[in-house]
Amino acid sequence: MKIKILFFFLFIQTFIFAQKPCDYAVNVTDSIGTLKETKSCLVYEKVFGNKSTLIFMSLQSVNGVPVLKMEYIQKSNDFDAPKCLDKNSRIIFQLSNGKIYTLINGEEPKCDNLVYNEKEKTNNRFLEASFLFLKDDFEEITKHSISLMRIRFSGSSEDYVFHKELTSETLKETYKPDSFFIDNFNCIAN
C-alpha cells in the first residue's frame, strides 16, 4: 500500500512541476546545423500620450549556442533620437535573487530603422539585435525571475522593470515577462 501511495505522489508531481511545452517560431535542422527560436514575448510596453515603446525578446539556439534576440519598437508623432548599438552595448538582467547576468551585443554597430507612416502621421523606429551570453552557468537564470533589465545603447542606458504579468494595451494579449528565461530557456537548451 505504501508503494502505491508513493507512486501516486510521484506521478502527480510530474504533472504539477512539468514545464510548459515549447512554442517555436523556428526549429530547423539541416546539413549546416540546427537553429531553434522561441516565439517572441513582449517584455515591456509603455504607452504615454502620442508615444509607445514595445520590447520583444526571444531565445535562439544556433548550433547549441544560446542567443537572446531583442526587438525594440517605438512609435511616436514626434521625432525621437535614434537608438543605436555598438560593440560596447549590453543587456543586463537583475534576477529576483540579486544575481546579475550580462549579455553582449553580437552584431556590428547599427541604429534603428525609421519608417514614416503617412496614413497615421507617425514615426516608427525598429531595432533588432542579437546578444550573446557571457556565462555558461544558466542555473540561476532558469530558476529565478527577472526583476530589472538595463539596455546600454551607444551613449545612453535605459532601465526597464519587469512585471509578473503584462497585459498589452496595443496587442490585447497577456505575457509573463519576469519568467521569460524560466519558461523558455529549456526550449533551446536541448
Side-chain angles (χ1 to χ4, degrees), residues 147 170 187:
S147 57
T170 310
C187 297

Side-chain angles (χ1 to χ4, degrees), residues 98-159:
K99 297 270 183 173
I100 302 290
Y101 271 81
T102 302
L103 287 74
I104 59 172
N105 182 20
E107 299 181 5
E108 294 294 317
K110 65 179 174 180
C111 293
D112 58 22
N113 296 321
L114 174 63
V115 178
Y116 182 71
N117 184 330
E118 184 69 39
K119 182 180 175 184
E120 295 180 14
K121 306 282 190 229
T122 58
N123 294 307
N124 299 307
R125 294 191 171 277
F126 302 95
L127 178 63
E128 184 175 283
S130 297
F131 289 85
L132 306 172
F133 290 83
L134 291 174
K135 296 181 180 182
D136 287 337
D137 177 18
F138 304 112
E139 187 174 335
E140 297 292 326
I141 206 164
T142 58
K143 287 184 179 177
H144 299 282
S145 60
I146 304 166
S147 57
L148 185 71
M149 175 178 71
R150 173 174 289 163
I151 300 177
R152 188 182 306 153
F153 296 101
S154 307
S156 69
S157 291
E158 293 184 17
D159 292 340

Side-chain angles (χ1 to χ4, degrees), residues 49-52 75-80 116 120-123:
N50 62 1
K51 182 177 179 179
S52 61
K75 183 177 178 179
S76 177
N77 291 347
D78 302 323
F79 183 81
D80 289 318
Y116 182 71
E120 295 180 14
K121 306 282 190 229
T122 58
N123 294 307

Side-chain angles (χ1 to χ4, degrees), residues 56-102:
F56 292 90
M57 292 190 319
S58 64
L59 288 171
Q60 293 180 330
S61 174
V62 182
N63 293 325
V65 176
V67 176
L68 176 76
K69 184 176 167 186
M70 186 260 317
E71 297 172 40
Y72 185 95
I73 302 169
Q74 193 173 62
K75 183 177 178 179
S76 177
N77 291 347
D78 302 323
F79 183 81
D80 289 318
K83 299 284 186 201
C84 298
L85 298 171
D86 60 20
K87 63 179 177 144
N88 296 318
S89 293
R90 307 277 187 265
I91 290 184
I92 302 163
F93 293 103
Q94 181 174 358
L95 304 181
S96 58
N97 67 347
K99 297 270 183 173
I100 302 290
Y101 271 81
T102 302

Side-chain angles (χ1 to χ4, degrees), residues 16 22 53 59 129:
I16 292 173
C22 295
T53 303
L59 288 171

